[in-house]
Amino acid sequence: MTGRPHSVDCATMLTRRTFCQAGAATLVAASAPGLAGKPARRPNFVVILADDLGYGDLGCFGSPNILTPQLDRLAEEGLKLTCVYAEPFCGPARASLMTGSYPIRVAEPGNAKHRHTVLHVAETTIADVLAAQGYRNAMIGKWGIGVQSNTNWRRDLQPLHQGFHHYFGTPASNDTPADVVLVEGDGKVIEAPAKLDTLTERYADEAIRFIRENREQPFFVYLCPNMPHVALAASDRFRGTSARGLFGDVVEEIDHHVGRIVDEVRSLGLEDDTYVIFTSDNGPWVVKAGEGGSPGPFRGGKQSIWEGGVRVPGIVWAPGRVAAGRTSDAMTALQDWLPTLASLAEAPLPQGVALDGKDLSGLLLGTAETSPRSTFAYYLWTHLQAVRKDRWKLHLPRPQDPEWLAPLTPSRSLTPADAAAVATPMLFDLQSDYGERWNVATEHPEIVAELFALAEAFRGELGDYNRIGAGVRFFDTASARPTAPVRVP
């Protein structure tokens, strides 16, 4: 391969609800642009997290054959984030978003480390932070961090025990459709098996109902469609209507219902008081013929730390607060949303809890030109496989299909080239080589050395597959602090 592409836009047990009064940066809602003269009100938040939606699966992010007019409109009326980092697969991603921390840092029951993170009830979530400020919180859709099972899930680890007041959704993903159950409240099963082709619409209905009922007070809606994770399912109205087959049908249905929710926010006169944030938990399946999505211009897919596995679309819509028509390639990550929402809500952060997230409120509101995030650690489960600083990404040497990653390996979601071992360090300039094709490690030994030092710093704080980091949280004192992650397949 010759030539290089031009750059593109992508660029100690603590109680759960203990907060420090000086934690979050203060933002007076009434002083936001366009809100002069209105009574001060804490903003509402609607965070929509799609499942396995790739970077290239929305029209506004370059899809040639999936029509997403509602999300395209939100991007035009708000801020498009082209460098959002998630995690390689769903459980860790959801834990990251909820806790503001890298998944390897967060506590799990029994001091274990499950493949799909099982969030310890003593962890503090976004919902806890907002509930302490008088928010009403709803979790609607796939939870995925309270034991990744629809048959052996634990009620005590579900949303109502993690700061939410209302829950309507499925405990886990839809890998086995016959096992998926629809649950509401504190564990009441209302449909088994759940009708997958109806869930996207019913989730939107539930979100709209919750918003209507709570419009007089600040609210937080965390909406997680089960789609487009396989097995795919679309309603009769959308099945067979997309040029991209069933996958496209599913994405276009999600788009339609996002539009319904935004229209409801508008009809209630809440648009000047509401942030709508849309993103995804990880990159797409890329080797499932006809079922998976597109990583866009990036290499790799789900269950990998290539950019295509962890780079996801991001849209922020908040009329009067977030200026329209902006695109930013500033580096952001799912864990940034906890401190960001806390800042926007004038909510203190958890006391004495190390967070990895950065406050993006300045980037959103236009008071800062870039993100406070300059580094990112790429973990696959407990294995640190790459690090990034500014434009540079270093893949660390790693074997192919190491035993400590089973059953994630051998990979079912990557091409052989992307699943291969990394024998020597690989350095990529993501500003000019966002597709990770040209290894320039030999040309920049000083950058390689700097990033190796950064990797060692991450290992010291967060750990690796064979060691425990100094900053990892353990809340179950009955079991000794392990010396290496206790991995649970």
Side-chain angles (χ1 to χ4, degrees):
M1 187 175 290
T2 61
R4 298 194 182 202
H6 297 292
S7 62
V8 294
D9 281 340
C10 45
T12 255
M13 171 88 177
L14 298 169
T15 58
R16 302 172 63 237
R17 299 174 177 85
T18 303
F19 304 100
C20 63
Q21 295 305 312
T26 299
L27 175 71
V28 180
S31 67
L35 298 182
K38 291 188 67 173
R41 169 181 170 141
R42 298 183 192 274
N44 311 307
F45 303 109
V46 180
V47 176
I48 305 171
L49 185 71
D51 197 345
D52 288 8
L53 181 79
Y55 186 96
D57 290 331
L58 302 180
C60 52
F61 281 82
S63 176
N65 51 15
I66 300 177
L67 303 179
T68 54
Q70 303 301 325
L71 287 163
D72 296 353
R73 181 183 66 169
L74 292 191
E76 292 170 0
E77 296 178 356
L79 171 63
K80 186 168 75 167
L81 297 171
T82 63
C83 189
V84 179
Y85 281 116
E87 295 293 329
F89 53 103
C90 64
R94 292 157 200 272
S96 176
L97 190 152
M98 278 289 103
T99 66
S101 300
Y102 283 106
I104 195 172
R105 186 193 289 278
V106 304
E108 299 191 39
N111 295 345
K113 188 55 64 176
H114 295 78
R115 180 164 49 103
H116 289 281
T117 310
V118 178
L119 199 62
H120 199 290
V121 70
E123 281 285 347
T124 302
T125 68
I126 292 178
D128 290 319
V129 171
L130 296 178
Q133 299 302 306
Y135 277 74
R136 291 290 296 175
N137 303 325
M139 194 282 138
I140 299 170
K142 171 185 166 181
W143 178 231
I145 48 176
V147 179
Q148 180 66 1
S149 171
N150 286 300
T151 56
N152 295 308
W153 53 278
R154 288 172 50 178
R155 188 175 71 177
D156 62 317
L157 298 175
Q158 298 304 300
L160 265 60
H161 300 268
Q162 298 284 7
F164 289 94
H165 305 100
H166 177 70
Y167 172 43
F168 180 87
T170 67
S173 61
N174 48 300
D175 301 79
T176 307
D179 293 338
V180 180
V181 294
L182 185 60
V183 176
E184 69 176 358
D186 195 16
K188 179 183 178 182
V189 176
I190 59 174
E191 190 172 284
K195 300 173 183 176
L196 294 184
D197 58 351
T198 70
L199 289 185
T200 300
E201 180 175 5
R202 292 161 75 186
Y203 289 165
D205 291 346
E206 191 71 11
I208 290 170
R209 185 195 63 77
F210 184 86
I211 290 169
R212 286 175 180 168
E213 291 182 357
N214 292 278
R215 61 185 179 272
E216 299 299 330
Q217 62 189 104
F219 57 78
F220 167 45
V221 175
Y222 177 46
L223 173 61
C224 299
N226 290 71
M227 302 293 161
H229 187 291
V230 296
L232 298 170
S235 68
D236 291 342
R237 177 178 176 181
F238 287 89
R239 192 182 302 113
T241 62
S242 166
R244 179 58 171 76
L246 182 55
F247 185 92
D249 300 343
V250 167
V251 175
E252 292 185 5
E253 181 163 19
I254 291 172
D255 176 76
H256 170 76
H257 292 296
V258 170
R260 289 181 57 217
I261 293 167
V262 173
D263 287 346
E264 183 66 23
V265 168
R266 292 183 194 272
S267 70
L268 294 173
L270 297 175
E271 64 267 32
D272 287 342
D273 297 314
T274 303
Y275 289 82
V276 176
I277 299 159
F278 183 91
T279 188
S280 179
D281 61 350
N282 48 252
W285 292 105
V286 292
V287 296
K288 293 198 170 199
E291 294 184 324
S294 168
F298 304 117
R299 179 176 178 178
K302 181 177 179 176
Q303 294 188 3
S304 83
I305 56 79
W306 297 102
E307 293 293 285
V310 292
R311 191 84 73 96
V312 294
I315 300 171
V316 183
W317 177 86
R321 298 172 187 263
V322 173
R326 294 167 56 209
T327 296
S328 174
D329 63 357
M331 194 190 314
T332 65
L334 293 188
Q335 58 258 45
D336 298 336
W337 290 114
L338 185 150
T340 300
L341 270 56
S343 177
L344 295 171
E346 303 178 62
L349 293 172
Q351 181 181 12
V353 177
L355 299 178
D356 301 301
K358 307 295 183 182
D359 177 6
L360 304 177
S361 59
L363 176 66
L364 305 188
L365 299 172
T367 60
E369 293 184 0
T370 189
S371 166
R373 173 171 295 284
S374 61
T375 65
F376 188 76
Y378 300 76
Y379 279 89
L380 180 57
W381 195 0
T382 61
H383 189 195
L384 182 62
Q385 297 196 335
V387 293
R388 178 178 176 180
K389 182 176 181 181
D390 299 325
R391 65 195 290 175
W392 300 103
K393 178 179 179 180
L394 181 72
H395 284 253
L396 304 167
R398 58 182 182 264
Q400 182 171 352
D401 299 337
E403 58 86 17
W404 58 82
L405 287 180
L408 290 176
T409 56
S411 175
R412 298 181 294 114
S413 60
L414 295 176
T415 64
D418 291 342
V422 175
T424 59
M426 300 174 68
L427 180 68
F428 299 102
D429 179 358
L430 294 184
Q431 184 168 303
S432 61
D433 179 21
Y434 49 86
E436 297 175 278
R437 302 299 178 190
W438 293 275
N439 179 10
V440 294
T442 59
E443 300 171 36
H444 299 280
E446 74 289 354
I447 301 297
V448 172
E450 181 182 3
L451 292 182
F452 263 117
L454 176 62
E456 190 55 34
F458 277 122
R459 287 192 181 105
E461 176 67 13
L462 302 173
D464 206 338
Y465 73 96
N466 58 355
R467 62 188 284 190
I468 292 293
V472 175
R473 295 192 282 269
F474 295 101
F475 293 147
D476 289 342
T477 56
S479 127
R481 180 184 176 95
T483 57
V486 181
R487 292 181 296 277
V488 182

